[in-house]
Structures are given as structure tokens and as C-alpha cells.
Amino acid sequence: MKATPTATQTNHTAVSPSSDYNKLDPATEARVEELLSQMTLAEKTGQLFQLNPYGPFDWEHFEAKKAEAEKAGRPFRYDPKLRDDMEDLLRAGRIGSFLNVTQPAVINHCQRIIMEESRLRIPLIVGSDVIHGYRTIFPIPLGESATWNPELLQQASRVAAEEASAAGVDWIFAPMVDIARDPRWGRIAEGAGEDPFLGMAMAQARVRGFQATDLTSGRRIAACPKHYIGYGAAEAGRDYNSTDFSERTLRDVYLPPFTAAFEAGAGSVMSSFNEISGVPATANPLILKTILRDELQWPGLVVSDFESVRELIPHGFAADLKEAARLSILAGLDMEMVSDSYPKHLPELIESGEVPLAAVDEAVRRVLRLKFRLGLFENPYVDESLAEKIMLRPDFRELALEVAQESMVLLKNEADILPLSPETRLAVIGPLADNQADLLGCWALNNHPEDVETVLAGLSAYLPDDGWTHVAGCSIRDESPADIAAAVQTAETADVVLLVLGESANMSGEGHSRTHLGLPGRQQELVDAVAATGKPLVCVLMSGRPLVIPKLAGQVQALLAAWHGGIRAGRAVADILFGTVNPSGKLTASWPRSEGQIPVYYAHKNTGRPASESGTKQFAEAFKSVFIDVPNSPLFPFGFGLSYTNFEYANLQLEKSVLGLEDTLVVSATVTNRGSKAGAEVVQLYVRDLVGSVTRPVKELKGFQKIRLEAGEQQTVRFEVPVCELGFTGWDMRYGVEPGDFKVWIGPNAVEGLAGDFTVSAA
Ligand code: NOJ
């Protein structure tokens, strides 16, 4: 595969060896060719089909099973009914893959039918959505990215792989690497936020973790970065909506996390639901052929998203399923997820000559290659006793706690109200304080709310039983009667009010976009009533996205963004509130002041009429690119997050201020912990290319390092960025670095920091 710039300047090291599915080896290639030569057309198209073996949801079956469990007094977990025709399809070699089956006994049963009763014995590859953990649920990925700690995320992804592999999963449909700059879009929860450079680092870490080669099961997992490409640009943030962006934006903003994932060894990718310049991604030759194959020379497997081949019809791009199959295979889509245009129509399309057999053969090669590389032919079965031993292992739970602690972002801490002393009498108010299910977040397919530690449980580790009172006050999103008066009453008796507020898990994620991003339901009314008591307010805010909360942020003395923090969220919140853990998370997506500002992101362009102070003087500046009612700046910028200590930045030094195209930018600054507590700081490096053949963003992240300093300790943080990584897609649509003047900053977030200048010279 061709080399592309990678995410450097992170302090992450590999935690365990991982597979690289993009390095082809002659022995595997020979096995692929040998097998391919024996396959019939129906067997070939079968390999290109991923089946949802449960078929459409069967309510009658669900109700019957539920009643059965209730009658027997057992807790109810639904195991859906398998399709009646499934076993015959397996025997005939008509299925290449399963979607979201995580029952080892079912997987083994199906693999056994294939291995014992089908002609060519080509095992299934079982794909599943394991987005932020399998049973040990970590914070939502947006929260995980706020750790700015790729090494930690690699370990978390490895834990997800351990558990998923024990459940029989071979193929993880993650990482979700879509750049998201619109918090209305519910799927912003699933990714690493708004920035391509950070997205690259996180994508690589996750791929390496998922593809760890030393899993307890002895099996292997393949990662599947998604959604290729530009899905996060959905207009108005409405999920599945149309997107329209330039090819330059595609290449410079949306593509880098994918290329980074491929370089880390990801051997598959999922095409997205959206269109790109009018051509749906699933049948788009520019992205599937020109970019993936011709330019990147990437040999991996492309799977469609759920029924996105069939969706070419409502897109108005294909007249019927047959045309959808033809357009997709010709564009370079290898495997079809769930809709069945390939098995139904590819044989006739080949016979009629509308699709060359070579196109199908190439796609089948990619499927077989991955199956061989995963070792599925040698080891198609899952050890059915492993799951029970491995799920929620103590070390996994410990890691979930660490990730949750590092993911939380302290957004405000007036007069150092935090950390709290254990002597403080707390009134704990809000609908998320005693909540388990919502802390799991939007993508916990294997959903066990009973695994979750609530905030109340976390607090009980610090406070005596009579040290706090709790009233929910209202529900998360209903307008139904609330107990606001009781909340006020309990607030009156306390030293400090702890508000635990936010969104439910099902207010973000796939198909869950919002237009109003404030506190849902009657929560703001609850805050207003409690604020009227005059008691100091500390707020823990749980959400699947950046919220729009200027009023709340003004009312409370301290504000902690805790996301949907997974099974250990409650304990992590308490550790931060009482100061056993010093918060170190920083935002990876800007928090707007108002929905009307969206999209608001730090790497915006300057425009021909920039406001002189990032829009904050909007009323004084006529005919500038500003609003008349709200500043341009976000409420909390990208990269922002407070600590219980203070870090001072000084002495920005550039090794050379004139650099050649082959040189490396070397720039450093000293960071000193001026407070009285040890803490971690994410030191960020930004650059701006002042003049280009096309306009450039006002700042671009080019490096970050998370450092830990004792009180009083100082460290010189040095960044090395090869000049070749300062390029972009120029007017001629080629990637390159353009000589000229640059600005550079080292700082604690995207708006503050020490600034310097350098020049790139062509000579
Ligand atoms: C649709 C989602 O867009 C995708 O992320 C997921 O992997 C598939 N469904 C499979 O569940």
C-alpha cells in the first residue's frame, strides 16, 4: 500500500502486537486462487452476501418468549428467531457472512453445517457492531476521544475485541471515523469529533486494539472503519440526509482517518449511506475505485452499510434492485449487507454480460483473503465456555474506570468549588443520578444496565449514608409531572447541590438527531428552581454530543461533561468530584452557544471579511462575517478542558524558522505545573498556512502530547512535524506543501497558546 502522512506527535506506543491485513502474502494468495477456481457463480455471489439471520423483527415471537420467561420467573433476554431458510442457504454455500450474531452456540451450529454439509466449506465471517465495548461498556467514543490518549483507547479496543471474540465475533464494525462538525447529528457520539488529525490518531489506536493478535480466544478480529465517506456532513445534522461537499474537503477532512486506519492494518471498510456529489457512496467509483484502489492501492474488502445497496432505489440512483446490484459491483463494492441484490441478480447480470465475471472474482478474492487471514478455515468454531469466564473481567472493569476518568471534561470551576470535601452535605438532584441504562450510551448492543455503577453508587464510596439526600426532580425527557418542589426542599438543607443532568442514551446515536440541543424535558425548569435557593451548584452533565447550554453554564459554579460514560461512569464522576482524580479530558468537538451557529468548529476558514476578534464584537463590526446576536466563537472551544491545577506555557522555540520541503518543523515550549496538585495536560500544536493556492483553515491541529506533571514540575514539550505533513489538496487537486509563511501555536486548546512564525521555502 502507498504511504500517506500518518498521525505523528502522539505519545502512544503499541500495547500489543496487531494484525496488518493489508500485507498480502503469496501463500494466502495461492489458497485464494485455488478455492476461487472451484467455485460456481452462485457460491461466489453467496460469499458477497451478509445475512441478518434473524430477518425482520418478529413481535409475536418476542411477546411469546417474554411471556414464557415471566411464567418461569426468569429474567427476560430476547434471543430472536432465526430465519427458516437459513440452514438451506448455508448448505448451498449462499451466505458469506452474518450480521450481529453473538451467540456462540448459534455460530457454531451454523459453521458446523457449512464445514460438514456444504460443498466447499467456506466458513462464515461474523460481523458485529462493537462500538465502545462489548460487555464491558466504555464511554461513548466521543467521550473516549476526549482522553486524547490513543494508548488508552488501544487498550480499551483490545478489551472489546477480547469479549467480542469470545462471543464469536470475527469482524468489528468500528472504528467509526467520521469527522463530525454538527452536534445535531446523533452519530457525533460514535466518533472522535471534529478534527482529522486527532481522528487519525484515534482511528489507528482503535484498529490496533481491535486487531490484537494475542486474544485469549486464540482467534483474530478484523476492524472495519466506517462510514466511507462524508456521512458526518449530513445536511442539518439529520441522519441519513444528503451531503454535499467538495472533493477537496473529501480528501483533506474526511479521508485522513480512513487512510490512517488502513495504515494501521484495517483490511476492510464500510461504505456510507450518503451521496457524494449526487453519487451514493455505495455505488461511487471515485471513492471506491479511484481513491481506494488506484491512488491508495489498498487491497481490503468493502462492505456496504445496512441495505445501502437497496437504498440506491429511494436515492433515485437505481431503478430497481437489479440495477442497484450492477451499479454497486461495477463501482467496486465487494460485499452487500442485508439487502440481497447480489445473490438475486449478479448471476443473471454476469450471464447477460452486463457485469464482467472479473469484477465478481475480484470481490470474492477480497472476502476469501480476509477469511484466510483471520484463520477461519482452520478454526471456524468458538469456545462456548469462554464468554462466561472473560466478560467483565476485573482488569477490564478497571480499564473502563480509567477511560471514564480521563474522558470527563471539566468545563467550569468557579472559585475552585471542586474538588468537594467529604464533609460537604450534598443534595443530589436530577434524573441521571440514579440511572444505569442511559450511562451505557447509544451503542451497547449487548445491553446490561445492571452492570452500570450509578452516580449515587459512586458517591457512596466517599460519603457517609447520612451525608447526602437525593431527589430526581424530573425525568430526562418527559414533560410529565415532576417533583421540582421536593428537589428545592432538599437543596435548602444542603451545603452544595449536585445536579446530574443531561440526555438519555436514545437521544443520540443512529437515527437520533436533535434540533434543540439544550437540556431536554423539564430539566432547565428544575435547575432554575434549585438555583433560586442560592445554594452553590455543581453540575455533572451526561450527553451523547456537545449540548447548547449557555444558561446552565452561567447558573452553575462547576460543570463537568461526563458524556454517557459506560459501566464505571458513576465511580469516575465521584473520583473527580472528590479530587482523587484530577480531570484531564479536553473537548474534541466545539460546544456551540446557539444551534444557529452550527456548524461551529475551530478549523474554519477566515473568509474575506473576518471579524477582528473572532466575532465577539459583533455589534460594533458592520458588514463582517458575524451574527448580529451571538458571537462567532463557541461556548467551549475544541481542545478545552480545565484541571484542578494550572499549567503555564512559556518559551516557544523554533529550531529553524526557515525550512525546506524535506525538513522537519521542530518547535517546543515549556509547560509548568503552577498549582499544588499533580495533573495531566494535553499540549496541542496548531499551524496556519497563511496564503495558499486555495484558502486554508485559520488553525489546524498538527500534534498533541498528553503529559503528567507533579506540582511545581516543568517539562519542555517538543514537537517534530515533517514539513511534508503540512500540505493539502491544492488548486490542481493534488496533495502538496506550498512554500510560504506559516504561523504556529503551542497551547492548551484551539484558542489560547504561544505563537510563532516560520517560512517554508522551495529552495
Ligand atoms: C447501520 C449503521 O450505519 C452501521 O454503522 C452499522 O454497522 C450497521 N447498521 C450494522 O448494524
Side-chain angles (χ1 to χ4, degrees):
M1 220 184 84
K2 228 169 159 179
T4 50
T6 47
T8 53
Q9 304 308 317
T10 65
N11 52 352
H12 102 257
T13 50
V15 285
S16 61
S18 67
S19 304
D20 182 347
Y21 294 114
N22 297 317
K23 288 208 178 97
L24 305 185
D25 68 290
T28 307
E29 294 309 296
R31 290 178 81 183
V32 168
E33 292 309 321
E34 161 69 18
L35 187 52
L36 188 67
S37 69
Q38 299 173 46
M39 291 170 79
T40 64
L41 195 47
E43 285 164 341
K44 287 179 182 175
T45 54
Q47 285 305 306
L48 305 184
F49 177 42
Q50 181 177 63
L51 178 87
N52 168 12
Y54 301 119
F57 194 77
D58 183 341
W59 278 107
E60 237 172 72
H61 187 250
F62 175 85
E63 294 296 350
K65 289 281 167 195
K66 195 168 164 206
E68 226 175 83
E70 272 163 16
K71 205 165 154 206
R74 285 188 264 111
F76 175 58
R77 287 199 71 77
Y78 181 53
D79 293 331
K81 196 169 81 179
L82 293 161
R83 275 171 59 144
D84 296 334
D85 57 352
M86 194 196 62
E87 297 196 359
D88 289 341
L89 291 171
L90 292 172
R91 273 182 206 104
R94 300 296 166 88
I95 304 172
S97 175
F98 272 174
L99 173 66
N100 281 338
V101 181
T102 52
Q103 295 160 287
V106 172
I107 293 168
N108 284 347
H109 172 69
C110 295
Q111 297 284 40
R112 204 160 287 120
I113 293 176
I114 291 175
M115 300 319 274
E116 293 172 8
E117 299 176 50
S118 77
R119 197 175 77 87
L120 293 175
R121 299 168 191 192
I122 305 175
L124 292 165
I125 176 171
V126 179
S128 187
D129 293 295
V130 181
I131 313 298
H132 48 114
Y134 180 79
R135 176 75 188 258
T136 301
I137 300 296
F138 291 87
I140 54 163
L142 184 65
E144 289 185 309
S145 68
T147 64
W148 293 66
N149 188 340
E151 185 187 324
L152 195 61
L153 292 207
Q154 184 171 343
Q155 292 173 26
S157 304
R158 194 210 132 96
V159 165
E162 281 280 11
E163 293 184 339
S165 169
V169 175
D170 311 303
W171 192 12
I172 287 183
F173 293 138
M176 192 279 222
V177 302
D178 296 319
I179 299 302
R181 294 175 166 178
D182 190 331
R184 292 172 297 185
W185 192 47
R187 301 200 80 171
I188 196 171
E190 290 178 56
E194 71 182 47
D195 186 67
F197 184 87
L198 184 70
M200 289 167 77
M202 297 305 174
Q204 295 201 323
R206 286 180 177 283
V207 167
R208 292 195 176 109
F210 291 140
Q211 297 192 167
T213 51
D214 51 0
L215 299 178
T216 313
S217 65
R219 299 162 59 83
R220 296 228 163 149
I221 291 226
C224 185
K226 65 188 189 185
H227 306 82
Y228 188 68
I229 194 169
Y231 182 33
E235 283 178 0
R238 201 181 77 219
D239 205 8
Y240 316 123
N241 201 5
S242 309
T243 59
D244 202 359
F245 45 83
S246 68
E247 189 180 327
R248 181 168 291 109
T249 299
L250 186 161
R251 290 174 180 277
D252 290 350
V253 176
Y254 294 112
L255 186 58
F258 286 95
T259 55
F262 300 152
E263 285 194 350
S268 75
V269 77
M270 186 187 293
S271 72
S272 53
F273 287 126
N274 57 291
E275 62 175 62
I276 294 134
S277 286
V279 182
T282 292
N284 188 315
L286 168 70
I287 63 159
L288 300 181
K289 280 221 160 118
T290 311
I291 296 182
L292 280 189
R293 309 300 182 197
D294 303 344
E295 296 179 17
L296 297 175
Q297 293 161 29
W298 179 72
L301 168 69
V302 185
V303 62
S304 78
D305 201 343
F306 195 100
E307 296 205 327
S308 67
V309 177
R310 187 196 56 74
E311 289 180 14
L312 296 179
I313 303 169
H315 266 297
F317 192 71
D320 52 30
L321 209 57
K322 183 172 166 190
E323 193 176 8
R326 181 175 62 80
L327 291 168
S328 301
I329 192 83
L330 291 178
L333 180 89
D334 300 318
M335 184 184 275
E336 178 178 15
M337 183 188 285
V338 177
S339 57
D340 52 4
S341 76
Y342 274 19
K344 274 197 181 131
H345 297 293
L346 282 183
E348 52 174 317
L349 284 165
I350 287 164
E351 270 149 33
S352 68
E354 288 169 85
V355 168
L357 181 60
V360 169
D361 282 352
E362 201 43 37
V364 176
R365 275 190 191 96
R366 295 192 185 109
V367 176
L368 297 180
R369 189 179 287 140
L370 191 60
K371 290 184 174 182
F372 279 121
R373 301 295 298 274
L374 286 166
L376 287 169
F377 286 84
E378 290 72 32
N379 183 16
Y381 303 113
V382 198
D383 170 358
E384 290 179 31
S385 69
L386 183 61
E388 203 182 309
K389 292 178 219 147
I390 208 166
M391 301 296 168
L392 292 174
R393 237 169 49 185
D395 54 326
F396 298 173
R397 288 176 41 78
E398 203 44 46
L399 190 69
L401 176 62
E402 205 182 319
V403 178
Q405 290 165 340
E406 283 203 37
S407 75
M408 295 182 185
V409 185
L410 184 64
L411 295 172
K412 182 174 179 185
N413 192 18
E414 214 169 70
D416 290 339
I417 185 170
L418 292 180
L420 298 170
S421 125
E423 275 81 59
T424 315
R425 267 201 65 77
L426 272 189
V428 188
I429 293 173
L432 281 144
D434 197 17
N435 180 302
Q436 291 182 302
D438 291 299
L439 276 53
L440 288 171
C442 58
W443 248 130
L445 208 60
N446 182 32
N447 193 313
H448 285 264
E450 70 276 15
D451 296 344
V452 177
E453 264 169 284
T454 64
V455 170
L456 293 187
L459 295 176
S460 66
Y462 288 90
L463 294 174
D465 286 350
D466 60 354
W468 51 284
T469 51
H470 165 59
V471 173
C474 64
S475 67
I476 298 178
R477 49 190 302 198
D478 301 351
E479 299 292 334
S480 55
D483 215 354
I484 293 177
V488 170
Q489 219 174 28
T490 200
E492 301 279 10
T493 65
D495 303 327
V496 171
V497 175
L498 175 63
L499 295 162
V500 190
L501 308 173
E503 296 182 303
S504 54
N506 63 5
M507 295 182 85
S508 59
E510 186 179 347
H512 291 83
S513 295
R514 296 177 69 196
T515 57
H516 297 291
L517 302 184
L519 287 173
R522 298 180 67 178
Q523 294 184 66
Q524 187 59 53
E525 190 185 331
L526 175 70
V527 179
D528 293 345
V530 172
T533 63
K535 295 285 176 177
L537 306 181
V538 170
C539 177
V540 172
L541 191 57
M542 297 182 170
S543 65
R545 55 160 64 78
L547 293 177
V548 175
I549 40 118
K551 183 173 186 197
L552 174 73
Q555 287 169 309
V556 299
Q557 279 67 56
L559 182 60
L560 181 72
W563 318 111
H564 292 132
I567 59 167
R568 303 302 309 277
R571 181 58 194 252
V573 163
D575 291 343
I576 290 178
L577 293 180
F578 289 98
T580 357
V581 168
N582 190 349
S584 64
K586 300 232 185 188
L587 298 179
T588 58
S590 309
W591 284 45
R593 294 171 192 272
S594 137
E595 289 88 347
Q597 289 181 305
I598 296 171
V600 55
Y601 53 96
Y602 84 91
H604 60 82
K605 301 289 186 72
N606 204 37
T607 80
R609 297 218 177 171
S612 54
E613 280 185 27
S614 57
T616 46
K617 285 189 174 173
Q618 73 277 22
F619 300 111
E621 292 198 80
F623 302 106
K624 292 290 174 74
S625 179
V626 294
F627 300 102
I628 60 166
D629 50 1
V630 168
N632 287 5
S633 59
L635 186 61
F636 299 112
F638 177 84
F640 178 77
L642 301 170
S643 160
Y644 294 152
T645 189
N646 304 312
F647 296 101
E648 182 188 275
Y649 285 67
N651 198 22
L652 182 114
Q653 298 262 330
L654 282 143
E655 200 179 76
K656 272 172 37 180
S657 58
V658 180
L659 300 156
L661 290 167
E662 308 292 315
D663 286 345
T664 292
L665 167 71
V666 180
V667 54
S668 64
T670 52
V671 181
T672 309
N673 181 348
R674 291 280 178 217
S676 56
K677 291 188 172 65
E681 169 71 340
V682 179
V683 183
Q684 300 159 43
L685 174 81
Y686 295 89
V687 300
R688 176 172 179 185
D689 185 345
L690 294 181
V691 179
S693 64
V694 296
T695 59
R696 307 299 305 131
V698 295
K699 272 189 179 178
E700 289 178 279
L701 185 73
K702 289 292 173 188
F704 62 90
Q705 294 183 44
K706 189 163 188 173
I707 59 167
R708 282 163 218 282
L709 295 179
E710 295 300 322
E713 199 186 349
Q714 183 175 87
Q715 188 178 322
T716 298
V717 180
R718 177 184 153 101
F719 290 95
E720 294 182 14
V721 183
V723 169
C724 65
E725 291 186 11
L726 301 179
F728 56 91
T729 304
W731 70 273
D732 56 356
M733 292 310 290
R734 288 167 194 245
Y735 177 88
V737 181
E738 295 183 359
D741 293 336
F742 288 73
K743 263 191 133 22
V744 60
W745 295 263
I746 293 182
N749 57 56
V751 297
E752 295 171 288
L754 307 168
D757 304 283
F758 68 95
T759 302
V760 172
S761 122

